[in-house]
Amino acid sequence: MNGIGAPGIILLVILALLLFGPNKLPELGRAVGRTFREFKDGAREIISEPEPAKRSEAPVPLAPQKLAAELPQDRRLPE
């Protein structure tokens, strides 16, 4: 795979001229440039964001009194 090369690029330019016309090509180029710029800026933002801080504290277990109070109580009718 040696790439496109000069003849391939010339063919692509001629094809683009035929498809879009000479009046639309500058507008199309600007739109593609804006898209690449926005993508590049977004990638830089993602890379430069610090990683979320990891909590060094372990979760505190509930006390046995609280745990028993939070459990639903068995409410059966007397037999």
Side-chain angles (χ1 to χ4, degrees):
M1 300 219 171
N2 295 333
I4 295 175
I9 292 175
I10 292 171
L11 183 64
L12 286 174
V13 169
I14 292 171
L15 185 64
L17 278 170
L18 290 173
L19 287 175
F20 300 109
N23 295 335
K24 289 284 186 179
L25 279 183
E27 182 181 328
L28 184 65
R30 279 191 288 275
V32 169
R34 261 187 256 122
T35 302
F36 282 140
R37 191 177 318 117
E38 288 178 16
F39 178 77
K40 194 174 169 182
D41 291 343
R44 281 185 184 154
E45 280 183 27
I46 291 172
I47 290 172
S48 67
E49 284 182 0
E51 291 184 20
K54 294 180 181 177
R55 298 184 109 193
S56 60
E57 300 175 13
V60 179
L62 293 174
Q65 295 85 10
K66 286 185 180 180
L67 191 59
E70 290 177 1
L71 292 176
Q73 295 181 1
D74 192 17
R75 295 186 178 178
R76 293 185 186 168
L77 295 174
E79 293 182 20

